[in-house]
Amino acid sequence: MTENEGLEEVGPETERVVLVGLQRDADTLESAELSLDELERLVDSCGGEVIDKKVIRLRDPQPSTLISKGHLEMLKPWVDASEADIFCIDDDFSPVQQRNLEKYLGCRVLTRTEIILDIFATHARTRESMTQVELAQLKYRSTRLIGAAIASAKMGGASARIATRGPGEMQLEMDRRHIRERVQRLERSLQVIRSQRAIQRQRRMKSGMPLVGIVGYTNAGKSTLLNRLTQAGVLAENRLFSTLDTTVRSLAMPGGFEVGLIDTVGFVSKLPHSLVAAFRATLEEITYADIILHVADATSPRLDIECAATDEILTSLKCETTPRLTVWNKIDRIDDPVELRLLPHNRPPAVAISALENLGIAELLSAVEKMVLEHGHMATLLIPYDRYDLVARLHRESQVLDSRDAPEGKLLRCRLAPHLSAVVAEYLYTGAWDDEEEVVDEAYEETQEDLQNPDSR
Ligand SMILES: Nc1nc2c(ncn2[C@@H]2O[C@H](COP(=O)(O)OP(=O)(O)OP(=O)(O)O)[C@@H](O)[C@H]2O)c(=O)[nH]1
Ligand SMILES: [Mg+2]
């Protein structure tokens, strides 16, 4: 029973949150503090108010409470004095540890993962992202449903909000069988979403437009960059995880040809596995990009950690070999000329820009164009002798790797510049290259079929 029972709802009160960072043996105090600052921003993003925060050394994690008895005795009066509704630790820990901490401290205890899941639940707008978030939450919470999570959700009373959103308390109380059924249903609808995405993707691929994926840590300025380049009108805000969906817009390169630019969900350190798994359909778009733009906030105090987290997630998506351009953003906030000069030499190839203040955008565009041209698709062409103009153009505007004379015309192997793919579509060659069995792989045969019969798929 709460004091307010029977009274009119007067709008949500902000929950009071205290944060505890853990400095493990491998961490410096500074890195633990920076991670805790990020947790503060995460809590802020889901509407909580951080009252106070502390870093403690974690030498010997306790199986029952994670934190040692000594530390707990020190923390208890601090939690009481701050009148906190939520005690949040900057890490993931077991449901048993969570339940014991709640019993001892007398308030709700949350993991970092629960905060991130809650932000996703608050920001999800489309059917796709809502389905993905609900799936991630159910999977995470079902592993913690040994009474602890329910007790935890109840502990805050009717006013508890953070980490109780999404699948509501009622759903949390469903038995495991019900949860399993719901998970299966969500997985099925995600499967439908994935196949719809595949169809859209195929259409884009047929258009021959190269794809450029914008990736990077949350709040790096990805959506601001997409808006700057294409007037896409995507929401860009100073809060973590503004974007949970994928937007694709076409962008004309200085040379005239178009690329598809993709903006998508940002990354964060210790991104929960359940979220990566649930957001596979969204993240998958990146795996089809011909080029990746890694946007990084050049002014972030956690730059190395943020870049490493991005690298790690790209590797887990098997994108580590996709050609990558580092885009150092927010240079309007850097005054030191030496730092500015050095930036493009860090993680090359790289460019330095300000998406907000429109600095370095021309350089960025030419760097993207250069990369797209360099890494254009491989193609084998048979050009009739009366189209020597085309052969000359290919030599000029694409990279011709090999050429030989055949009775019907000139055979060329080239890395095709994207703007030429439509021009030469009718000359794609599927026969054998001299003594080789098959020069052209299945992909080109499929392309050929698609070009002749665009409605076949
Ligand atoms: N000073 C400065 N701020 C920038 C720049 N680019 C983006 N920002 C700000 O950084 C914040 C985050 O920008 P977003 O474009 O939403 O970042 P994002 O990478 O899309 O973030 P998520 O979608 O949350 O992952 C906003 O407040 C922007 O105004 C820049 O070049 N300079
Ligand atoms: Mg965004």
Side-chain angles (χ1 to χ4, degrees):
M1 288 265 165
T2 64
E3 279 175 22
N4 292 335
E5 201 159 274
L7 294 178
E8 246 181 48
E9 180 72 60
V10 288
E13 265 180 49
T14 311
E15 283 167 295
R16 297 166 66 85
V17 189
V18 288
L19 308 179
V20 167
L22 303 179
Q23 186 191 351
R24 292 176 188 265
D25 286 340
D27 304 325
T28 61
L29 178 60
E30 197 198 358
S31 70
E33 280 173 348
L34 288 173
S35 177
L36 197 59
D37 290 345
E38 181 176 81
L39 181 65
E40 181 169 0
R41 299 202 57 206
L42 290 165
V43 169
D44 190 54
S45 270
C46 54
E49 189 189 346
V50 175
I51 307 295
D52 207 351
K53 54 184 179 176
K54 261 192 208 317
V55 171
I56 59 170
R57 280 207 74 124
L58 186 74
R59 288 215 175 75
D60 194 12
Q62 305 293 305
S64 59
T65 52
L66 180 70
I67 300 170
S68 70
K69 193 158 175 279
H71 272 128
L72 277 178
E73 281 168 3
M74 179 266 291
L75 289 170
K76 171 80 173 139
W78 175 66
V79 173
D80 289 344
S82 63
E83 296 181 1
D85 303 302
I86 295 173
F87 175 92
C88 179
I89 301 182
D90 188 14
D91 214 325
D92 215 1
F93 42 92
S94 80
V96 174
Q97 290 167 330
Q98 189 171 21
R99 186 176 43 194
N100 289 333
L101 284 169
E102 285 183 338
K103 265 195 219 146
Y104 184 79
L105 295 169
C107 65
R108 294 173 64 212
V109 172
L110 296 182
T111 65
R112 178 184 167 96
T113 299
E114 283 171 305
I115 296 292
I116 295 174
L117 286 169
D118 190 74
I119 298 175
F120 273 67
T122 321
H123 294 184
R125 290 283 173 272
T126 61
R127 190 170 72 89
E128 174 167 349
S129 53
M130 289 187 319
T131 309
Q132 296 183 117
V133 175
E134 188 181 347
L135 186 61
Q137 285 185 312
L138 280 179
K139 283 193 165 168
Y140 185 76
R141 289 189 191 165
S142 66
T143 62
R144 310 178 83 81
L145 256 187
I146 49 165
I150 292 174
S152 153
K154 283 181 174 164
M155 191 165 277
S159 62
R161 277 175 301 280
I162 298 176
T164 62
R165 284 175 279 233
E169 219 183 317
M170 285 293 288
Q171 272 166 296
L172 280 182
E173 287 174 358
M174 293 187 304
D175 62 20
R176 286 183 181 277
R177 188 173 57 85
H178 280 131
I179 290 187
R180 244 195 334 269
E181 280 168 12
R182 179 79 187 142
V183 164
Q184 279 167 0
R185 235 193 343 268
L186 290 171
E187 276 174 343
R188 271 199 303 276
S189 53
L190 274 186
Q191 207 46 50
V192 174
I193 291 168
R194 279 181 82 165
S195 40
Q196 284 164 349
R197 281 203 168 283
I199 293 167
Q200 288 166 0
R201 203 158 44 229
Q202 218 141 35
R203 262 193 224 127
R204 276 205 302 272
M205 281 170 146
K206 267 189 218 166
S207 73
M209 193 156 70
L211 283 180
V212 177
I214 306 180
V215 305
Y217 211 75
T218 181
N219 213 50
K222 302 178 292 298
S223 300
T224 308
L225 178 61
L226 182 82
N227 289 341
R228 164 69 56 205
L229 296 173
T230 70
Q231 288 80 45
V234 171
L235 178 74
E237 274 186 308
N238 192 17
R239 61 174 196 174
L240 306 182
F241 298 111
S242 301
T243 309
L244 295 186
D245 294 290
T246 302
T247 307
V248 186
R249 288 285 182 278
S250 58
L251 168 69
M253 291 282 99
F257 68 93
E258 295 210 326
V259 301
L261 206 56
I262 314 172
D263 177 30
T264 188
V265 57
F267 303 154
V268 74
S269 309
K270 307 178 208 162
L271 189 65
H273 289 297
S274 56
L275 265 180
V276 177
F279 271 75
R280 199 144 214 63
T282 305
L283 291 168
E284 229 168 28
E285 291 296 312
I286 300 166
T287 62
Y288 291 92
D290 294 304
I291 305 287
I292 284 179
L293 300 189
H294 171 186
V295 179
D297 176 353
T299 66
S300 166
R302 301 179 74 228
L303 194 57
D304 292 342
I305 292 169
E306 293 176 4
C307 287
T310 304
D311 289 344
E312 202 180 298
I313 294 163
L314 286 176
T315 304
S316 77
L317 293 170
K318 302 199 167 46
C319 297
E320 67 271 36
T321 56
T322 309
R324 210 179 295 182
L325 177 69
T326 310
V327 181
W328 296 113
N329 191 27
K330 309 198 183 181
I331 57 162
D332 55 295
R333 288 166 51 188
I334 300 178
D335 294 326
D336 182 357
V338 179
E339 194 184 342
L340 278 176
R341 241 195 343 269
L342 289 177
L343 265 182
H345 302 284
N346 192 1
R347 297 172 66 97
V351 290
I353 67 155
S354 166
L356 195 66
E357 300 296 334
N358 203 6
L359 302 170
I361 300 297
E363 288 81 354
L364 166 68
L365 287 177
S366 44
V368 172
E369 177 171 55
K370 183 163 166 263
M371 281 188 92
V372 172
L373 291 176
E374 258 174 35
H375 300 280
H377 306 288
M378 289 288 290
T380 302
L381 305 168
L382 177 61
I383 314 274
Y385 285 115
D386 62 355
R387 292 298 315 271
Y388 209 82
D389 61 310
L390 204 52
V391 176
R393 188 168 173 200
L394 281 163
H395 275 281
R396 237 179 12 247
E397 297 176 26
S398 266
Q399 196 182 1
V400 177
L401 303 170
D402 201 353
S403 77
R404 59 190 56 175
D405 292 315
E408 307 85 0
K410 197 91 178 160
L411 263 177
L412 300 176
R413 257 181 175 180
C414 44
R415 201 182 285 280
L416 200 55
H419 66 289
L420 292 177
S421 49
V423 181
V424 299
E426 61 182 301
Y427 304 119
L428 280 175
Y429 179 69
T430 54
W433 179 272
D434 205 22
D435 46 352
E436 283 174 29
E437 279 279 286
E438 272 294 312
V439 197
V440 183
D441 63 17
E442 273 177 22
Y444 284 114
E445 283 171 20
E446 281 177 18
T447 316
Q448 192 81 322
E449 268 170 37
D450 283 349
L451 287 166
Q452 285 161 7
N453 186 9
D455 298 323
S456 65
R457 288 187 207 188

